[in-house]
Short mmCIF file of all heavy atoms in Angstrom, two decimals:
data_model
loop_
_atom_site.label_atom_id
_atom_site.label_comp_id
_atom_site.label_asym_id
_atom_site.label_seq_id
_atom_site.Cartn_x
_atom_site.Cartn_y
_atom_site.Cartn_z
N PHE A 21 0.87 -1.17 0.10
CA PHE A 21 -0.02 -0.01 -0.05
C PHE A 21 0.86 1.26 0.00
O PHE A 21 2.04 1.19 0.38
CB PHE A 21 -0.94 -0.08 1.20
CG PHE A 21 -0.15 0.03 2.58
CD1 PHE A 21 0.01 1.21 3.17
CD2 PHE A 21 0.27 -1.12 3.11
CE1 PHE A 21 0.58 1.27 4.46
CE2 PHE A 21 0.85 -1.10 4.36
CZ PHE A 21 1.16 0.07 4.91
N MET A 22 0.33 2.32 -0.35
CA MET A 22 0.96 3.57 -0.44
C MET A 22 0.79 4.34 0.92
O MET A 22 -0.34 4.48 1.43
CB MET A 22 0.57 4.56 -1.52
CG MET A 22 0.86 3.98 -2.98
SD MET A 22 2.53 3.62 -3.27
CE MET A 22 3.26 5.29 -3.14
N TYR A 23 1.97 4.64 1.52
CA TYR A 23 1.95 5.39 2.82
C TYR A 23 2.22 6.80 2.54
O TYR A 23 3.16 7.20 1.89
CB TYR A 23 3.00 4.79 3.78
CG TYR A 23 3.09 5.56 5.08
CD1 TYR A 23 2.22 5.29 6.10
CD2 TYR A 23 4.13 6.46 5.32
CE1 TYR A 23 2.25 5.97 7.30
CE2 TYR A 23 4.28 7.05 6.51
CZ TYR A 23 3.31 6.81 7.54
OH TYR A 23 3.40 7.48 8.76
N GLU A 24 1.31 7.64 3.03
CA GLU A 24 1.36 9.11 2.74
C GLU A 24 1.45 9.79 4.10
O GLU A 24 0.75 9.56 5.02
CB GLU A 24 0.17 9.58 1.96
CG GLU A 24 0.11 8.96 0.65
CD GLU A 24 -1.03 9.46 -0.29
OE1 GLU A 24 -1.47 10.73 -0.02
OE2 GLU A 24 -1.53 8.71 -1.14
N GLU A 25 2.30 10.75 4.11
CA GLU A 25 2.61 11.62 5.32
C GLU A 25 2.60 13.01 4.74
O GLU A 25 3.25 13.22 3.68
CB GLU A 25 3.74 11.18 5.98
CG GLU A 25 4.01 11.74 7.41
CD GLU A 25 5.16 11.26 8.02
OE1 GLU A 25 5.44 10.07 8.14
OE2 GLU A 25 5.94 12.06 8.64
N GLU A 26 2.01 13.95 5.40
CA GLU A 26 1.98 15.40 4.90
C GLU A 26 3.39 15.82 4.73
O GLU A 26 4.25 15.71 5.59
CB GLU A 26 1.29 16.27 5.86
CG GLU A 26 0.93 17.58 5.35
CD GLU A 26 0.02 18.34 6.22
OE1 GLU A 26 -0.94 17.76 6.83
OE2 GLU A 26 0.25 19.65 6.30
N GLY A 27 3.63 16.44 3.55
CA GLY A 27 5.00 17.11 3.33
C GLY A 27 6.06 16.07 2.93
O GLY A 27 7.14 16.48 2.59
N VAL A 28 5.60 14.85 2.79
CA VAL A 28 6.57 13.79 2.35
C VAL A 28 6.00 13.03 1.19
O VAL A 28 4.86 12.79 1.10
CB VAL A 28 6.93 12.78 3.58
CG1 VAL A 28 7.86 11.68 3.08
CG2 VAL A 28 7.50 13.51 4.73
N GLU A 29 6.83 12.75 0.18
CA GLU A 29 6.44 11.94 -1.05
C GLU A 29 5.92 10.59 -0.54
O GLU A 29 6.56 9.93 0.18
CB GLU A 29 7.54 11.85 -2.04
CG GLU A 29 7.11 11.36 -3.37
CD GLU A 29 8.05 11.67 -4.44
OE1 GLU A 29 8.86 12.53 -4.33
OE2 GLU A 29 8.11 10.79 -5.37
N PRO A 30 4.75 10.08 -1.06
CA PRO A 30 4.19 8.79 -0.69
C PRO A 30 5.24 7.69 -1.07
O PRO A 30 6.00 7.84 -2.00
CB PRO A 30 3.09 8.58 -1.66
CG PRO A 30 2.62 10.01 -2.02
CD PRO A 30 3.94 10.87 -2.12
N VAL A 31 5.26 6.67 -0.29
CA VAL A 31 6.17 5.58 -0.40
C VAL A 31 5.36 4.18 -0.23
O VAL A 31 4.53 4.15 0.49
CB VAL A 31 7.27 5.63 0.61
CG1 VAL A 31 6.81 5.41 2.03
CG2 VAL A 31 8.40 4.62 0.30
N GLU A 32 5.76 3.19 -1.08
CA GLU A 32 5.04 1.93 -0.98
C GLU A 32 5.56 1.22 0.16
O GLU A 32 6.77 1.04 0.47
CB GLU A 32 5.40 1.11 -2.27
CG GLU A 32 4.51 -0.14 -2.35
CD GLU A 32 4.63 -0.90 -3.62
OE1 GLU A 32 5.68 -1.49 -3.86
OE2 GLU A 32 3.66 -0.83 -4.43
N ARG A 33 4.60 0.63 0.99
CA ARG A 33 5.01 -0.18 2.18
C ARG A 33 4.23 -1.52 2.11
O ARG A 33 3.38 -1.70 1.42
CB ARG A 33 4.40 0.54 3.44
CG ARG A 33 5.01 1.83 3.80
CD ARG A 33 5.87 1.66 4.93
NE ARG A 33 6.58 2.94 5.18
CZ ARG A 33 6.43 3.67 6.33
NH1 ARG A 33 5.48 3.33 7.16
NH2 ARG A 33 7.11 4.79 6.51
N MET A 34 4.98 -2.46 2.78
CA MET A 34 4.49 -3.84 2.76
C MET A 34 3.32 -4.00 3.67
O MET A 34 3.34 -3.49 4.83
CB MET A 34 5.57 -4.71 3.15
CG MET A 34 5.32 -6.22 3.22
SD MET A 34 6.62 -7.23 3.61
CE MET A 34 6.97 -6.66 5.30
N GLY A 35 2.30 -4.78 3.18
CA GLY A 35 1.16 -5.05 4.07
C GLY A 35 1.14 -6.48 4.45
O GLY A 35 2.22 -7.18 4.57
N LYS A 36 0.00 -7.05 4.70
CA LYS A 36 -0.17 -8.43 5.17
C LYS A 36 -0.04 -9.47 4.00
O LYS A 36 -0.31 -9.19 2.88
CB LYS A 36 -1.56 -8.60 5.90
CG LYS A 36 -1.70 -7.74 7.11
CD LYS A 36 -3.11 -8.01 7.67
CE LYS A 36 -3.23 -7.16 8.95
NZ LYS A 36 -4.58 -7.33 9.50
N CYS A 37 0.17 -10.70 4.38
CA CYS A 37 0.09 -11.87 3.52
C CYS A 37 -1.37 -12.22 3.52
O CYS A 37 -2.08 -12.09 4.43
CB CYS A 37 0.98 -12.95 4.01
SG CYS A 37 2.69 -12.94 3.49
N GLU A 38 -1.83 -12.93 2.33
CA GLU A 38 -3.07 -13.45 2.31
C GLU A 38 -3.02 -14.90 1.85
O GLU A 38 -2.06 -15.34 1.30
CB GLU A 38 -3.80 -12.71 1.11
CG GLU A 38 -4.31 -11.32 1.41
CD GLU A 38 -5.16 -10.72 0.24
OE1 GLU A 38 -5.50 -11.46 -0.69
OE2 GLU A 38 -5.57 -9.62 0.37
N GLY A 39 -4.12 -15.57 1.93
CA GLY A 39 -4.25 -16.96 1.46
C GLY A 39 -4.43 -16.92 0.01
O GLY A 39 -4.87 -15.98 -0.63
N PHE A 40 -4.02 -18.08 -0.62
CA PHE A 40 -4.24 -18.20 -2.12
C PHE A 40 -5.65 -18.53 -2.46
O PHE A 40 -6.29 -19.26 -1.66
CB PHE A 40 -3.31 -19.33 -2.65
CG PHE A 40 -1.83 -18.98 -2.55
CD1 PHE A 40 -1.00 -19.64 -1.65
CD2 PHE A 40 -1.27 -17.96 -3.33
CE1 PHE A 40 0.34 -19.35 -1.57
CE2 PHE A 40 0.08 -17.64 -3.21
CZ PHE A 40 0.92 -18.39 -2.33
N ARG A 41 -6.13 -18.06 -3.65
CA ARG A 41 -7.44 -18.41 -4.15
C ARG A 41 -7.28 -19.16 -5.44
O ARG A 41 -6.05 -19.35 -5.97
CB ARG A 41 -8.23 -17.09 -4.28
CG ARG A 41 -8.58 -16.42 -3.03
CD ARG A 41 -9.28 -14.99 -3.25
NE ARG A 41 -9.77 -14.49 -2.08
CZ ARG A 41 -9.05 -13.82 -1.22
NH1 ARG A 41 -7.68 -13.81 -1.32
NH2 ARG A 41 -9.49 -13.26 -0.07
N LEU A 42 -8.36 -19.60 -5.94
CA LEU A 42 -8.14 -20.37 -7.19
C LEU A 42 -7.47 -19.72 -8.31
O LEU A 42 -6.66 -20.33 -8.93
CB LEU A 42 -9.65 -20.81 -7.62
CG LEU A 42 -9.71 -21.78 -8.89
CD1 LEU A 42 -8.88 -23.06 -8.72
CD2 LEU A 42 -11.09 -22.16 -9.28
N ASN A 43 -7.79 -18.49 -8.49
CA ASN A 43 -7.11 -17.69 -9.56
C ASN A 43 -5.66 -17.54 -9.32
O ASN A 43 -4.86 -17.50 -10.27
CB ASN A 43 -7.79 -16.25 -9.73
CG ASN A 43 -9.03 -16.28 -10.51
OD1 ASN A 43 -9.30 -17.25 -11.31
ND2 ASN A 43 -9.86 -15.30 -10.41
N ASP A 44 -5.30 -17.51 -8.04
CA ASP A 44 -3.86 -17.48 -7.77
C ASP A 44 -3.22 -18.76 -8.14
O ASP A 44 -1.98 -18.72 -8.75
CB ASP A 44 -3.64 -17.22 -6.30
CG ASP A 44 -4.26 -15.98 -5.74
OD1 ASP A 44 -4.30 -14.97 -6.53
OD2 ASP A 44 -4.56 -15.94 -4.59
N LEU A 45 -3.80 -19.89 -7.88
CA LEU A 45 -3.17 -21.19 -8.27
C LEU A 45 -3.07 -21.26 -9.74
O LEU A 45 -2.11 -21.94 -10.28
CB LEU A 45 -4.08 -22.33 -7.77
CG LEU A 45 -4.15 -22.42 -6.27
CD1 LEU A 45 -5.05 -23.56 -5.85
CD2 LEU A 45 -2.74 -22.49 -5.59
N LYS A 46 -4.11 -20.67 -10.53
CA LYS A 46 -4.01 -20.72 -11.96
C LYS A 46 -2.81 -19.95 -12.50
O LYS A 46 -2.29 -20.17 -13.54
CB LYS A 46 -5.31 -20.16 -12.55
CG LYS A 46 -6.50 -21.02 -12.48
CD LYS A 46 -7.73 -20.30 -12.96
CE LYS A 46 -8.89 -21.26 -12.82
NZ LYS A 46 -10.20 -20.62 -13.26
N ALA A 47 -2.38 -18.88 -11.74
CA ALA A 47 -1.18 -18.13 -12.06
C ALA A 47 0.11 -18.81 -11.69
O ALA A 47 1.12 -18.78 -12.40
CB ALA A 47 -1.16 -16.63 -11.45
N ILE A 48 0.03 -19.54 -10.68
CA ILE A 48 1.24 -20.29 -10.17
C ILE A 48 1.49 -21.52 -10.98
O ILE A 48 2.73 -21.79 -11.19
CB ILE A 48 1.07 -20.69 -8.69
CG1 ILE A 48 1.05 -19.37 -7.75
CG2 ILE A 48 2.11 -21.63 -8.11
CD1 ILE A 48 0.54 -19.51 -6.34
N TYR A 49 0.52 -22.30 -11.36
CA TYR A 49 0.63 -23.61 -11.93
C TYR A 49 1.61 -23.63 -13.16
O TYR A 49 2.58 -24.37 -13.22
CB TYR A 49 -0.65 -24.28 -12.26
CG TYR A 49 -0.52 -25.63 -12.80
CD1 TYR A 49 -0.20 -26.72 -11.93
CD2 TYR A 49 -0.76 -25.85 -14.18
CE1 TYR A 49 0.02 -27.99 -12.49
CE2 TYR A 49 -0.55 -27.03 -14.67
CZ TYR A 49 -0.24 -28.23 -13.79
OH TYR A 49 -0.10 -29.46 -14.31
N PRO A 50 1.43 -22.74 -14.06
CA PRO A 50 2.24 -22.67 -15.32
C PRO A 50 3.73 -22.35 -14.97
O PRO A 50 4.61 -22.79 -15.75
CB PRO A 50 1.72 -21.66 -16.17
CG PRO A 50 0.33 -21.25 -15.63
CD PRO A 50 0.41 -21.68 -14.26
N LYS A 51 4.00 -21.84 -13.83
CA LYS A 51 5.44 -21.48 -13.54
C LYS A 51 5.93 -22.31 -12.39
O LYS A 51 6.94 -22.01 -11.84
CB LYS A 51 5.39 -19.99 -13.09
CG LYS A 51 5.00 -19.06 -14.18
CD LYS A 51 4.91 -17.59 -13.74
CE LYS A 51 4.47 -16.76 -14.96
NZ LYS A 51 4.47 -15.37 -14.63
N LEU A 52 5.32 -23.39 -12.02
CA LEU A 52 5.60 -24.26 -10.99
C LEU A 52 7.11 -24.81 -11.06
O LEU A 52 7.82 -24.75 -10.11
CB LEU A 52 4.59 -25.40 -10.79
CG LEU A 52 4.57 -26.10 -9.49
CD1 LEU A 52 4.32 -25.00 -8.27
CD2 LEU A 52 3.30 -27.07 -9.44
N LYS A 53 7.41 -25.25 -12.23
CA LYS A 53 8.84 -25.78 -12.38
C LYS A 53 9.86 -24.68 -12.13
O LYS A 53 10.82 -24.96 -11.44
CB LYS A 53 8.95 -26.38 -13.82
CG LYS A 53 10.28 -26.99 -14.02
CD LYS A 53 10.30 -27.72 -15.46
CE LYS A 53 11.65 -28.43 -15.63
NZ LYS A 53 11.71 -29.11 -16.86
N GLU A 54 9.58 -23.51 -12.70
CA GLU A 54 10.58 -22.38 -12.45
C GLU A 54 10.56 -22.03 -10.97
O GLU A 54 11.67 -21.82 -10.42
CB GLU A 54 10.18 -21.20 -13.31
CG GLU A 54 11.11 -20.07 -13.23
CD GLU A 54 10.61 -18.89 -14.19
OE1 GLU A 54 9.67 -18.94 -14.88
OE2 GLU A 54 11.35 -17.82 -14.08
N ILE A 55 9.51 -22.00 -10.31
CA ILE A 55 9.36 -21.61 -8.92
C ILE A 55 10.17 -22.67 -8.10
O ILE A 55 10.97 -22.36 -7.27
CB ILE A 55 7.91 -21.63 -8.40
CG1 ILE A 55 7.19 -20.44 -9.06
CG2 ILE A 55 7.79 -21.49 -6.88
CD1 ILE A 55 5.72 -20.56 -8.92
N SER A 56 9.94 -23.97 -8.33
CA SER A 56 10.69 -25.05 -7.56
C SER A 56 12.17 -24.91 -7.82
O SER A 56 12.92 -25.22 -6.98
CB SER A 56 10.08 -26.37 -7.86
OG SER A 56 10.03 -26.72 -9.19
N GLU A 57 12.59 -24.57 -9.02
CA GLU A 57 14.06 -24.49 -9.34
C GLU A 57 14.65 -23.45 -8.50
O GLU A 57 15.67 -23.52 -7.90
CB GLU A 57 14.36 -24.28 -10.76
CG GLU A 57 14.37 -25.57 -11.58
CD GLU A 57 15.40 -26.49 -11.17
OE1 GLU A 57 16.60 -26.17 -10.90
OE2 GLU A 57 14.98 -27.65 -10.99
N ILE A 58 13.94 -22.22 -8.39
CA ILE A 58 14.51 -21.12 -7.59
C ILE A 58 14.55 -21.52 -6.14
O ILE A 58 15.49 -21.19 -5.46
CB ILE A 58 13.65 -19.87 -7.87
CG1 ILE A 58 13.84 -19.34 -9.28
CG2 ILE A 58 13.87 -18.83 -6.73
CD1 ILE A 58 12.89 -18.22 -9.48
N MET A 59 13.42 -22.19 -5.70
CA MET A 59 13.39 -22.61 -4.29
C MET A 59 14.54 -23.65 -3.98
O MET A 59 15.11 -23.67 -2.79
CB MET A 59 12.06 -23.06 -3.92
CG MET A 59 11.02 -21.95 -3.87
SD MET A 59 9.33 -22.48 -3.49
CE MET A 59 9.45 -22.26 -1.75
N LYS A 60 14.80 -24.59 -4.85
CA LYS A 60 15.78 -25.59 -4.72
C LYS A 60 17.23 -24.99 -4.79
O LYS A 60 18.18 -25.44 -4.10
CB LYS A 60 15.64 -26.83 -5.63
CG LYS A 60 14.45 -27.64 -5.27
CD LYS A 60 14.45 -29.00 -6.11
CE LYS A 60 14.10 -28.58 -7.48
NZ LYS A 60 13.80 -29.85 -8.33
N ASN A 61 17.39 -24.15 -5.80
CA ASN A 61 18.75 -23.60 -6.10
C ASN A 61 18.71 -22.13 -6.25
O ASN A 61 18.81 -21.48 -7.27
CB ASN A 61 19.15 -24.14 -7.52
CG ASN A 61 19.20 -25.65 -7.51
OD1 ASN A 61 19.92 -26.29 -6.66
ND2 ASN A 61 18.50 -26.21 -8.45
N PRO A 62 18.53 -21.41 -5.03
CA PRO A 62 18.47 -19.95 -5.04
C PRO A 62 19.73 -19.30 -5.29
O PRO A 62 20.77 -19.94 -5.20
CB PRO A 62 18.00 -19.64 -3.53
CG PRO A 62 18.60 -20.82 -2.79
CD PRO A 62 18.45 -22.05 -3.66
#
């Protein structure tokens, strides 16, 4: 999310983690081999 403070340029900040939904799995599945390679050999 964008954190804004008066007089300071907005900056992107990290928020919470969420659970995966079906559409997320559809994005992950085609890249599963590449993901596992990175996780095995970072």
Side-chain angles (χ1 to χ4, degrees):
F21 63 95
M22 294 305 292
Y23 176 77
E24 297 184 29
E25 195 174 312
E26 193 173 322
V28 180
E29 192 164 328
V31 67
E32 187 173 75
R33 293 255 176 111
M34 181 179 62
K36 295 180 179 180
C37 274
E38 285 188 7
F40 293 112
R41 292 177 174 75
L42 181 58
N43 280 340
D44 300 328
L45 297 179
K46 289 177 182 177
I48 292 167
Y49 183 74
K51 299 179 180 182
L52 204 49
K53 186 174 182 176
E54 187 179 354
I55 293 165
S56 55
E57 275 304 309
I58 290 171
M59 292 180 87
K60 285 190 283 187
N61 303 303

